[in-house]
Amino acid sequence: MRTYLLLIFLAFTNSVFCQDIEDSENFIVTKSDLEQKVYPKDSTANALILYEVGKSWVDRNDFELNTIVRRKLKILNRDGFNEGTIGVVLYDNGKGKKEKIEDIKATIYNIENDEITSTKLNEADIFEEAYDENYTIVKFTFPNLKEGSVIDYSYKTESPFMFKYKGWNFQGNIPKIYSEYNASIPGNWEYNIKLVGGKRLTTKSSKLKKHCLNTSNGSSANCAEYKYAMKDIPAFIEEDYMTTKNNYLARIEYELKTFRAFDGRIDHITASWEDTDKEIKKETDLGRELRKSAVVKNLLPDSIASVKNTLEKSKAIFKFVQRNYNWNEEFKVLYNISIKDLTKENSGSIGEINALLHNLLLEEHIEAKPVLLSTRQNGFATQIYPVLSDFNYLLIQVKIDGTNYLLDATDKFLTFGQIPFRCLNQNGRLIDFDKESTWVDIKPEKSSKIQYISGMNLDDQLNLTGKVRSVSSGYHGLNAKKSYNDYKSSYLKTFEKENSDINFDNLEVVTTNVDDKNFSINFEISSEISAVGNKIFLNPYILKFFSKNPFKLQERSYPVDFGYEDTYIFTSTLTLDESYKILELPKPVNIGLPDNKATLTSQFKQSGNTIQIYFKLAFNDAIYEPVFYDALKELMSTVVDVQTNALIVLEKKP
């Protein structure tokens, strides 16, 4: 429900630090701004930030964090109209403290009859929407929006929450010509400052301003005033094979490290990893639950407790938790978890289920340790200093005969040592309550593979028939198992629909056990081949791995992250009726990336009227840095071309 706000039109503070935005000539809208039709550096852009500035400072009177934002926005075409709605997220801690917004101003400029016209933002164009339990969004929509419009808008926010100094996004979903952020930070607050995204600042300067804050008892603080700017910032465009865009957007973030009060008190907000290990152990629900053993005593059946072999017992304990406790889709890990509640309700969060697994393993004297991590969609966890709020997932590492296995009992289709795709986010923090915690690599147990093995025949009536086995392993196998077991009645129909140009018969799922690492399907295919004059053109790749190139960007500034090493294989024996003569086979292809990071092989070998077909595409790394993007794009273009245009040319013998 929309609740209309009363605008509070207040004068800006008389601080010179803020007045610069009001007086800046860069926000004057010119006729050339309005007449601009396209952005030369990105002809696909629908809208453009011509100029933007943000300034944050601590108010002298109430010590609240104030921020002013002002932007000059250009709408290039109708597809850019969605940029004409601005949303500002505000936080409310539910305990009487909340962020506020005020002094919202905007003017929309257009050209009418060769004259510049302007329209002011109305109070009725501003509204508030509930966003989450502790968040609301204040939105304002600009009136009289047209192709070519230029909008000059600004607003001011006030926040009582100094633990998170206002960050700044230099990059967004539309390009920017210039973006500048100014921050004034009193010496009382010491922050870890992090520049994310890998793009270079064109301006980075700082200076000291004395006595920027004063108290009634005569105490004062100096402020460090920072200026950061970037120019010609490209739009961030999301593409396949990436983690959350928040890992790569060019921006500045602040995390409070230390607060020094005027009375001499010092609070260390960001602790060391050693202190954080102690905090996890003693002050979090997870730490307390991991030390409890009474709740798991006698929980295992004798058939498991009596197993002598450590690996087999670990697998049995893993399967016991996996089969008897259901994940409730909650990512609670550090707080609000209870193993006792889990055992009563047989349903619980990530933290509860895997904490139970951890405790059962320890009860049977099997070495197990918790691993905290951040999922792919949650972003990378900060490694330089501990930020507990970064972590939203728990795995368990088991060490057996010198080999480490990562376990997650929340998914019934995972095999021992396999973890969900959402966890493949490079690193996790191995928590050791006796020794120092360490970072560990989060890697899949093995590479993943899709393989088609077929035998095909072309009879004298141009009827192509054959038998095919599809075998999927790793994450391909996991996804296929899930899809089949969740939708048995429609799975095979979906498979047929995805390959609609082929006639399928006798589709049979070979794999029915969810504990199998591979997933196999057998089926028969048939297709009618057409002749062109006296020649026959046959594409033997009846099943294609990629029908289009997933990489389309002119330039990609973030890694290609598959999550795991991946392989695609197609092998076939094609037997031709004796009435055909082979005129031409597709040329062999054997290309790859430097250092064997990825390879493509396509081969055709003839023996009489039999043709052996072999295709293999291998990604031998899970992650490729942007420097490899052009090579990957070219490789995938070749893959699509090979499977789409590879033709065996035949003719009927006289």
Side-chain angles (χ1 to χ4, degrees), residues 312-448:
E312 294 305 314
K313 178 180 280 191
S314 299
K315 290 181 177 180
I317 293 172
F318 171 74
K319 190 176 294 185
F320 171 80
V321 176
Q322 195 181 39
R323 296 289 182 268
N324 289 284
Y325 302 95
N326 298 313
W327 180 35
N328 61 12
E329 306 294 324
E330 293 184 355
F331 285 81
K332 295 176 181 176
V333 174
L334 289 167
Y335 300 99
N336 300 316
I337 65 172
S338 167
I339 295 177
K340 187 175 181 180
D341 290 345
L342 171 66
T343 57
K344 286 181 179 179
E345 300 172 8
N346 295 330
S347 176
S349 68
I350 295 285
E352 289 167 333
I353 291 174
N354 286 332
L356 171 63
L357 173 63
H358 170 273
N359 290 5
L360 286 171
L361 290 164
L362 286 188
E363 187 67 15
E364 295 300 316
H365 309 291
I366 299 169
E367 184 179 342
K369 289 183 173 62
V371 177
L372 289 171
L373 59 86
S374 176
T375 56
R376 290 173 70 90
Q377 288 306 307
N378 194 54
F380 295 140
T382 305
Q383 295 192 37
I384 301 173
Y385 49 87
V387 182
L388 281 182
S389 58
D390 282 353
F391 299 109
N392 70 329
Y393 213 90
L394 175 71
L395 298 175
I396 304 302
Q397 179 181 282
V398 177
K399 190 171 186 178
I400 303 170
D401 298 330
T403 301
N404 292 324
Y405 302 87
L406 286 174
L407 306 180
D408 180 1
T410 64
D411 187 331
K412 311 231 179 269
F413 295 97
L414 294 172
T415 56
F416 187 87
Q418 189 177 39
I419 59 176
F421 177 75
R422 58 179 170 263
C423 294
L424 301 181
N425 202 24
Q426 301 189 25
N427 300 287
R429 189 75 181 178
L430 178 71
I431 305 300
D432 191 327
F433 291 141
D434 298 321
K435 302 176 183 178
E436 183 180 0
S437 65
T438 56
W439 289 100
V440 294
D441 292 335
I442 303 295
K443 292 183 177 180
E445 185 184 26
K446 294 180 179 179
S447 64
S448 296

Side-chain angles (χ1 to χ4, degrees), residues 435-500:
K435 302 176 183 178
E436 183 180 0
S437 65
T438 56
W439 289 100
V440 294
D441 292 335
I442 303 295
K443 292 183 177 180
E445 185 184 26
K446 294 180 179 179
S447 64
S448 296
K449 183 191 298 182
I450 297 179
Q451 184 170 10
Y452 294 125
I453 308 160
S454 69
M456 297 184 291
N457 295 276
L458 184 66
D459 67 17
D460 61 352
Q461 300 299 311
L462 295 176
N463 294 313
L464 181 69
T465 58
K467 293 183 178 180
V468 183
R469 167 166 283 201
S470 168
V471 182
S472 303
S473 64
Y475 288 95
H476 294 300
L478 174 64
N479 293 335
K481 277 193 300 182
K482 285 184 174 183
S483 297
Y484 173 68
N485 283 273
D486 289 345
Y487 307 101
K488 287 184 179 180
S489 61
S490 62
Y491 177 80
L492 296 179
K493 291 181 180 178
T494 302
F495 184 81
E496 289 182 277
K497 188 176 180 180
E498 290 173 349
N499 300 276
S500 57

Side-chain angles (χ1 to χ4, degrees), residues 41 57 65 140 174 368 393 396 424 448 539 547 570 579 592 641:
K41 294 186 177 181
W57 75 99
L65 178 61
F140 39 104
I174 61 174
Y393 213 90
I396 304 302
L424 301 181
S448 296
N539 185 334
S547 59
F570 179 95
S579 62
D641 181 64

Side-chain angles (χ1 to χ4, degrees), residues 264-275:
R265 175 174 50 88
I266 299 177
D267 291 335
H268 296 290
I269 310 300
T270 302
S272 65
W273 278 111
E274 182 180 0
D275 291 335

Side-chain angles (χ1 to χ4, degrees), residues 143-387:
N144 200 27
L145 204 60
K146 299 178 181 180
E147 290 187 342
S149 293
V150 174
I151 306 158
D152 173 14
Y153 73 89
S154 63
Y155 59 86
K156 177 184 175 184
T157 60
E158 295 179 0
S159 172
F161 307 112
M162 288 294 295
F163 65 90
K164 197 78 171 177
Y165 198 89
K166 186 67 70 175
W168 184 258
N169 286 347
F170 291 102
Q171 193 172 28
N173 61 344
I174 61 174
K176 301 180 181 182
I177 293 179
Y178 183 83
S179 179
E180 177 187 310
Y181 182 55
N182 300 271
S184 175
I185 303 178
N188 307 68
W189 289 273
E190 183 180 350
Y191 292 89
N192 290 307
I193 305 174
K194 183 168 63 172
L195 180 64
V196 181
K199 294 195 175 298
R200 292 185 177 181
L201 293 163
T202 54
T203 299
K204 181 181 179 182
S205 63
S206 63
K207 61 182 180 180
L208 186 68
K209 183 177 181 179
K210 292 186 175 295
H211 309 300
C212 63
L213 286 184
N214 299 285
T215 65
S216 57
N217 64 6
S219 300
S220 68
N222 300 328
C223 288
E225 295 189 346
Y226 301 92
K227 180 178 180 178
Y228 308 97
M230 284 188 186
K231 295 179 180 179
D232 300 323
I233 311 154
F236 186 90
I237 301 174
E238 295 186 62
E239 195 177 52
D240 290 344
Y241 306 115
M242 60 175 286
T243 55
T244 175
K245 69 178 183 179
N246 288 332
N247 286 332
Y248 311 113
L249 278 174
R251 66 188 187 277
I252 282 182
E253 290 185 344
Y254 298 83
E255 188 78 30
L256 185 58
K257 181 179 180 181
T258 303
F259 172 70
R260 296 176 176 83
F262 284 111
D263 61 6
R265 175 174 50 88
I266 299 177
D267 291 335
H268 296 290
I269 310 300
T270 302
S272 65
W273 278 111
E274 182 180 0
D275 291 335
T276 301
D277 290 344
K278 294 176 183 177
E279 180 184 350
I280 293 172
K281 180 178 181 179
K282 297 179 180 180
E283 299 180 24
T284 67
D285 292 338
L286 176 64
R288 288 185 283 268
E289 293 297 312
L290 292 176
R291 300 199 309 275
K292 292 180 180 178
S293 58
V295 71
V296 300
K297 284 188 180 296
N298 304 317
L299 193 61
L300 290 174
D302 292 339
S303 59
I304 295 177
S306 60
V307 175
K308 300 299 183 183
N309 182 275
T310 302
L311 180 58
E312 294 305 314
K313 178 180 280 191
S314 299
K315 290 181 177 180
I317 293 172
F318 171 74
K319 190 176 294 185
F320 171 80
V321 176
Q322 195 181 39
R323 296 289 182 268
N324 289 284
Y325 302 95
N326 298 313
W327 180 35
N328 61 12
E329 306 294 324
E330 293 184 355
F331 285 81
K332 295 176 181 176
V333 174
L334 289 167
Y335 300 99
N336 300 316
I337 65 172
S338 167
I339 295 177
K340 187 175 181 180
D341 290 345
L342 171 66
T343 57
K344 286 181 179 179
E345 300 172 8
N346 295 330
S347 176
S349 68
I350 295 285
E352 289 167 333
I353 291 174
N354 286 332
L356 171 63
L357 173 63
H358 170 273
N359 290 5
L360 286 171
L361 290 164
L362 286 188
E363 187 67 15
E364 295 300 316
H365 309 291
I366 299 169
E367 184 179 342
K369 289 183 173 62
V371 177
L372 289 171
L373 59 86
S374 176
T375 56
R376 290 173 70 90
Q377 288 306 307
N378 194 54
F380 295 140
T382 305
Q383 295 192 37
I384 301 173
Y385 49 87
V387 182

